[in-house]
Amino acid sequence: MRIKVQNLTVDKVKCDLLVINLFEGVKDPGGATAVIDKRLKGVISALVKSGEITGKLCEVNIVHTQGKLPAKQVLVVGLGKAADFDLDRSRKVMAAAMVEAKRIKAKFVATIVHGAGAGGLSLPTAAQALTEGCLIGTYHYAGFATIKNDSFFATEELAIIEISKSKIRDILQGVHAGQIIAESVNNARDLINAPANKVTPSYLAQVAQKVPGVKVTVLSLAQAKKLGMEAYYSVSKGSKEPAKFIIMQYGQGKPEIALVGKGITFDSGGISIKPSRKMWEMKTDMSGAAAVLETMRAISRLKARKSVVGVLPCTENMPDGQAQKPGDVIGSLLGKTIEIISTDAEGRMVLADGIGYAKKVLKVKKIIDVATLTGACVSALGDAASGIMANDQELVDQLIAAGQRTGEKLWQLPLFEEYKEYSKSEIADTKNCTEQGKAGTAIGGLFLELFAEDTLWAHIDIAGTAFLDRGRGYLSAGATGVMVRTLTEYLRS
Ligand code: BES
Ligand code: ZN
Ligand code: ZN
């Protein structure tokens, strides 16, 4: 969808659908809504008085203009109570309006920036949120279906109308950022929604290599083996699909920060094989890698003044005669030894060497890893929040704050000393997991902390948030692209 900004009054704009708004409880609409109401001879205010239009959050009402305006139809979208309005509500409202535009097959849509005046948001952030809501809210994964239906209709253009010329620059700035970020989110969703026979480690490497402004190195399995990344390559031993360890560098000089993303393109569990029910969902086990790859694209396109490296250890986890087995002891790049209790706890294995590579080879002093790591995180937080754990509280606070601005909730889980007992091994430095399954998400976090050592580090478990069974707000069912926005926001702030 094209998005443009126009210096015009709302009653002059020619389009299929013009989106104006109303706060809940407002009986006498002002601003653009008042202008349109007047041209429509009071029909909107009459519907407000009769209680048909209430302004409740995301309520949509369509009014036909019958030649009284250049716009064919007007949509009044509810903004909810003015006191509760925020950036995420702005995304939700715009998504609701665009879904309605799609339903009535409106090709050309126009809107104003919602909530920048009475809603108290700054103009660039309000315009950014509006753009994100529009593009993320209308995402549709086309996949490989050859039979097209109504869900394939796409609005061609959104025009953002602003009466005052002095505000255009701020709006353009917000739209520019919103567009880049939303495109990255939707790219990540495409990678995650796509099946594992298409999105292989080699495919991810190809996509990474095409990201503009980013220097990409791809290590083959043989190279990873030679470097001593046994924790990583032992996971790939059961798969015939070539593993790829991808490094993406943006910015000048030594990277200040590394983003490490779990890139298991399919997690069958390996020899500790998973039950077949919903096993197909494990095509999404590369959501961390997708989030990092697309964050790298976003910060490069936004020309962020930072030096960042993305590390994506990618492989399948499959059972085979050559596959690693429960009870095996495996080494790692940092030299620590690991006793495999379950081959299904493979994410932390590839991340251990991802973190090790960031530390030992790239000499990075701050690391954030993102992974669909534990089913226990889904039990604890559902799909409402990602789990965050770290060895540095400031980093946690900054990431949680970035998540509040993007509407991606992060909830901190503790890395208690007591849990460390659970993964003690008699024959190696640590077990890769435990059998009793207590505090599963923290056990995963503590395992990674062992490899982060004294480096500033945070771990984000997105097992519950990467993929939705049902749509929620501006996110449809399926991949969410979670953490692209929060990581980008964190790196830009
Ligand atoms: N990829 C899974 C975690 C997962 C589960 C992601 C559900 C998304 C939805 C991970 O590799 C895994 O299998 N973890 C095990 C760890 C256990 C063996 C300690 C789990 O959660 O059961
Ligand atoms: Zn697993
Ligand atoms: Zn996994």
Side-chain angles (χ1 to χ4, degrees):
M1 190 187 320
R2 277 191 311 276
I3 301 190
K4 65 179 188 189
V5 182
Q6 276 181 305
N7 185 200
L8 211 69
T9 55
V10 278
D11 53 351
K12 296 265 158 41
V13 58
K14 208 174 156 228
C15 59
D16 296 321
L17 185 67
L18 171 66
V19 181
I20 54 173
N21 63 46
L22 187 76
F23 276 114
E24 186 177 348
V26 172
K27 289 283 170 259
D28 261 317
T33 308
V35 172
I36 297 300
D37 184 44
K38 211 166 163 193
R39 292 286 301 269
L40 295 179
K41 310 259 183 299
V43 63
I44 294 172
S45 46
L47 289 167
V48 172
K49 292 220 167 70
S50 74
E52 210 166 307
I53 299 181
T54 69
K56 283 207 171 70
L57 186 66
C58 294
E59 175 191 87
V60 286
N61 279 289
I62 287 190
V63 179
H64 294 260
T65 60
Q66 288 163 336
K68 295 193 191 78
L69 279 170
K72 281 189 202 140
Q73 301 187 62
V74 165
L75 187 160
V76 186
V77 65
L79 301 184
K81 297 213 171 71
D84 297 335
F85 200 72
D86 61 8
L87 288 176
D88 217 40
R89 286 198 159 195
S90 150
R91 293 183 193 101
K92 284 179 186 150
V93 159
M94 204 53 215
M98 294 311 288
V99 166
E100 188 66 4
K102 179 174 176 161
R103 193 184 66 78
I104 65 162
K105 296 202 167 54
K107 274 191 186 160
F108 296 91
V109 179
T111 186
I112 50 167
V113 178
H114 310 289
L121 307 178
S122 87
L123 197 50
T125 56
Q128 182 185 330
L130 177 148
T131 307
E132 289 171 358
C134 166
L135 296 175
I136 295 171
T138 51
Y139 171 82
H140 168 67
Y141 180 63
F144 299 86
T146 58
I147 304 161
K148 304 261 188 281
N149 56 25
D150 274 2
S151 63
F152 281 79
F153 176 85
T155 296
E156 281 174 28
E157 184 181 89
L158 176 71
I160 302 172
I161 308 303
E162 172 55 52
I163 183 171
S164 135
K165 197 162 183 188
S166 63
K167 292 184 176 171
I168 297 290
R169 256 188 71 173
D170 276 357
I171 297 178
L172 279 170
Q173 191 198 324
V175 168
H176 175 72
Q179 219 160 358
I180 287 173
I181 291 167
E183 278 170 23
S184 266
V185 170
N186 290 347
N187 288 341
R189 295 163 97 183
D190 278 347
L191 289 173
I192 298 161
N193 281 325
N197 64 330
K198 309 281 180 198
V199 175
T200 58
S202 310
Y203 183 79
L204 285 175
Q206 276 176 31
V207 174
Q209 267 156 339
K210 280 189 227 141
V211 175
V214 174
K215 189 175 151 261
V216 177
T217 314
V218 179
L219 305 181
S220 67
L221 190 62
Q223 288 169 302
K225 216 169 185 167
K226 215 166 152 192
L227 269 167
M229 297 203 276
E230 192 182 359
Y232 163 67
Y233 79 71
S234 67
V235 173
S236 77
K237 279 167 64 186
S239 171
K240 295 236 160 42
E241 196 57 54
K244 301 284 170 193
F245 193 98
I246 307 164
I247 303 123
M248 306 177 73
Q249 266 174 290
Y250 168 76
Q252 301 300 313
K254 206 181 84 182
E256 304 156 54
I257 183 159
L259 306 177
V260 183
K262 171 176 172 181
I264 303 295
T265 56
F266 189 74
D267 181 12
S268 71
I271 296 298
S272 315
I273 199 159
K274 286 182 180 294
S276 59
R277 201 187 144 259
K278 277 206 158 185
M279 199 203 266
W280 63 268
E281 242 181 52
M282 284 302 120
K283 70 177 182 177
T284 68
D285 213 19
M286 35 56 76
S287 299
V292 171
L293 192 159
E294 287 301 329
T295 299
M296 296 304 292
R297 187 197 306 278
I299 59 168
S300 171
R301 290 180 70 195
L302 289 164
K303 304 191 166 54
R305 280 189 298 272
K306 278 256 165 55
S307 180
V308 185
V309 63
V311 179
L312 321 178
C314 300
T315 174
E316 282 185 339
N317 183 26
M318 299 289 276
D320 182 66
Q322 290 284 309
Q324 62 174 346
K325 304 168 288 297
D328 285 0
V329 174
I330 305 288
S332 63
L333 183 58
L334 295 176
K336 293 182 176 27
T337 56
I338 306 158
E339 180 186 2
I340 307 292
I341 298 303
S342 169
T343 64
D344 198 12
E346 83 299 337
R348 61 198 75 181
M349 302 289 290
V350 307
L351 290 174
D353 277 343
I355 290 169
Y357 189 89
K359 276 173 64 84
K360 200 172 166 182
V361 181
L362 303 166
K363 311 261 189 271
V364 178
K365 297 276 176 274
K366 199 191 272 183
I367 299 173
I368 301 169
D369 78 71
V370 190
T372 45
L373 206 74
T374 64
C377 195
V378 191
S379 304
L381 303 173
D383 60 18
S386 306
I388 181 164
M389 288 137 274
N391 61 10
D392 181 62
Q393 194 56 39
E394 196 188 346
L395 187 52
V396 172
D397 294 341
Q398 288 168 343
L399 284 164
I400 290 177
Q404 272 163 355
R405 297 194 291 275
T406 60
E408 296 184 328
K409 289 192 178 72
L410 289 157
W411 194 263
Q412 187 173 10
L413 296 170
L415 297 177
F416 290 136
E417 278 291 317
E418 287 86 338
Y419 300 149
K420 291 187 182 168
E421 285 301 314
Y422 303 2
S423 357
K424 283 221 166 103
S425 165
E426 300 292 327
I427 60 168
D429 296 336
T430 182
K431 293 178 176 173
N432 77 330
C433 63
T434 67
E435 263 164 340
Q436 27 80 337
K438 290 179 186 168
T441 305
I443 292 295
L446 280 164
F447 177 89
L448 298 173
E449 188 186 38
L450 214 60
F451 292 84
E453 299 171 332
D454 52 359
T455 309
L456 296 179
W457 156 85
H459 158 60
I460 303 175
D461 194 331
I462 57 169
T465 48
F467 195 83
L468 299 179
D469 295 326
R470 293 153 161 263
R472 185 188 64 221
Y474 47 88
L475 293 168
S476 51
T480 59
V482 73
M483 288 305 128
V484 171
R485 289 185 293 129
T486 300
L487 290 174
T488 306
E489 172 69 19
Y490 168 76
L491 293 169
R492 288 178 83 206
S493 64

